[in-house]
Amino acid sequence: SSYENRVLIASKSQGSAFAQRSLDYTKNVQEKPAFRTQLDILLRRNFYVWLKDPKGLRISIIQGILIPSVIGLLYFDQDRTQENYSNVAACCFMMLLFSGMLPVTQTVIAFPLEKAIIMREYTNGCYDAMPFYISKCIFLACTKGYVGFLIGFAGYFMAGIHPEVITFSNMCGFFSVTIMMTIWSSITGLTLGFFAETPETATGVSMPILLLNVMFAGFLISSGSIPVYFIWAYYLSMFHYCLSAVMVSTFEDYEFKGCDEGYDPDEEECPFGSDGTGKGMLPCALTGGLITTNAV
């Protein structure tokens, strides 16, 4: 169709040529096509532009491989002892932190950088706002989700934060959380970018929001210690829900080894012991169920 040719051909240009060609084609358009047609063509254009940027593609792939590798090697093969509990919990937190940080820094400046071109196309009737936004969200879910998968893979297998008996359902549940965290942060960055005038403004707005999500995730400060006037931030934090899911998936069936050989939980106390209240020095908790009670 003339609309499809107009959008796809305009996508092959860059800079001012892109804007001029888009303007030339939109002058000849009498009526916008259906929503589904717009969505289909915009999706294809997003992937076309992405594949035609080899430098950006290489950087994205390198980041997607390097960060998970560092996490996996840093927390490699954690033993199931209570001394290593903090390391395993930190690995879970680091996985979600990078799953959320990396996509936001890349997507929050996408719209401000292309704003002049996008507004020109929109003003001249190339497409409506909704198919454009949905196409961007689908595109980000397809091109950023693999980062969450690689980060989850590094933690699950390299760091060994999985149950002793690996099940397909547990593995899928774990990976789905890290992938969801990546997709959420990508779409959040894109959405924040829509309201920013410049890339600098977009970055300045996104970082405080992301850091507040991390701060109230329940890891840096337990939910019971958060002041009542800030508890709303705890329940609005996406990091909180993803961290809770990962911690439960990791520790629900976790069976700790004793603190040392010959350890008798009936006679000795352990600083990691808990009865679910987090109060006092209690007999050592040899299962992860007691740990997750406080962690989430």
Side-chain angles (χ1 to χ4, degrees):
S1 66
S2 60
Y3 176 81
E4 180 176 348
N5 292 333
R6 170 174 55 83
V7 176
L8 292 179
I9 292 176
S11 302
K12 298 178 182 180
S13 305
Q14 297 179 354
S16 59
F18 180 99
Q20 184 60 48
R21 185 164 296 189
S22 176
L23 178 61
D24 293 342
Y25 275 92
T26 51
K27 288 179 179 178
N28 299 322
V29 177
Q30 301 299 323
E31 182 179 355
K32 289 193 291 288
F35 175 91
R36 184 174 178 179
T37 303
Q38 294 183 50
L39 182 63
D40 174 65
I41 296 173
L42 287 169
L43 268 175
R44 282 193 282 161
R45 183 175 78 166
N46 288 331
F47 282 102
Y48 178 86
V49 174
W50 182 59
L51 293 173
K52 285 297 182 179
D53 182 16
K55 183 178 180 180
L57 190 58
R58 284 196 299 268
I59 293 174
S60 178
I61 293 175
I62 291 173
Q63 285 182 337
I65 295 175
L66 179 62
I67 297 299
S69 299
V70 172
I71 294 176
L73 293 173
L74 178 63
Y75 297 100
F76 185 74
D77 196 21
Q78 293 295 314
D79 198 11
R80 293 172 178 270
T81 63
Q82 296 225 11
E83 292 178 353
N84 286 343
Y85 155 72
S86 58
N87 292 338
V88 175
C91 182
C92 295
F93 179 76
M94 291 294 290
M95 287 190 306
L96 293 178
L97 180 65
F98 282 106
S99 294
M101 291 285 286
L102 287 178
V104 165
T105 58
Q106 297 170 354
T107 59
V108 74
I109 62 174
F111 182 81
L113 288 175
E114 303 175 5
K115 187 173 183 178
I117 298 172
I118 294 172
M119 293 306 297
R120 181 189 294 270
E121 292 178 337
Y122 174 76
T123 302
N124 288 280
C126 288
Y127 42 73
D128 293 323
M130 189 55 66
F132 174 81
Y133 178 76
I134 294 177
S135 69
K136 283 289 188 180
C137 291
I138 296 174
F139 167 73
L140 291 174
C142 295
T143 57
K144 301 298 182 183
Y146 78 95
V147 176
F149 174 81
L150 291 176
I151 290 177
F153 183 89
Y156 199 78
F157 291 106
M158 295 179 68
I161 56 174
H162 53 72
E164 286 190 294
V165 179
I166 299 176
T167 62
F168 181 75
S169 59
N170 180 274
M171 184 170 58
C172 289
F174 187 90
F175 287 147
S176 65
V177 173
T178 56
I179 293 172
M180 181 176 66
M181 183 76 251
T182 304
I183 295 175
W184 171 83
S185 61
S186 299
I187 295 176
T188 299
L190 176 70
T191 306
L192 292 174
F194 283 148
F195 299 98
E197 293 292 331
T198 64
E200 292 77 13
T201 303
T203 303
V205 171
S206 64
M207 285 300 102
I209 293 177
L210 187 62
L211 291 175
L212 285 173
N213 267 271
V214 174
M215 186 184 304
F216 292 101
F219 183 81
L220 300 178
I221 180 172
S222 63
S223 58
S225 301
I226 298 177
V228 65
Y229 45 83
F230 277 140
I231 198 64
W232 57 269
Y234 173 74
Y235 290 107
L236 290 179
S237 171
M238 186 65 177
F239 276 85
H240 152 58
Y241 295 105
C242 289
L243 181 62
S244 298
V246 168
M247 293 289 281
V248 170
S249 174
T250 301
F251 290 108
E252 185 177 22
D253 299 321
Y254 220 82
E255 293 186 1
F256 289 106
K257 298 177 183 178
C259 291
D260 52 45
E261 293 185 9
Y263 173 77
D264 185 353
D266 294 328
E267 297 181 2
E268 300 180 52
E269 293 182 337
C270 174
F272 293 99
S274 171
D275 63 352
T277 65
K279 297 178 181 179
M281 298 284 288
L282 302 165
C284 187
L286 298 180
T287 62
L290 294 175
I291 297 296
T292 56
T293 302
N294 286 335
V296 300

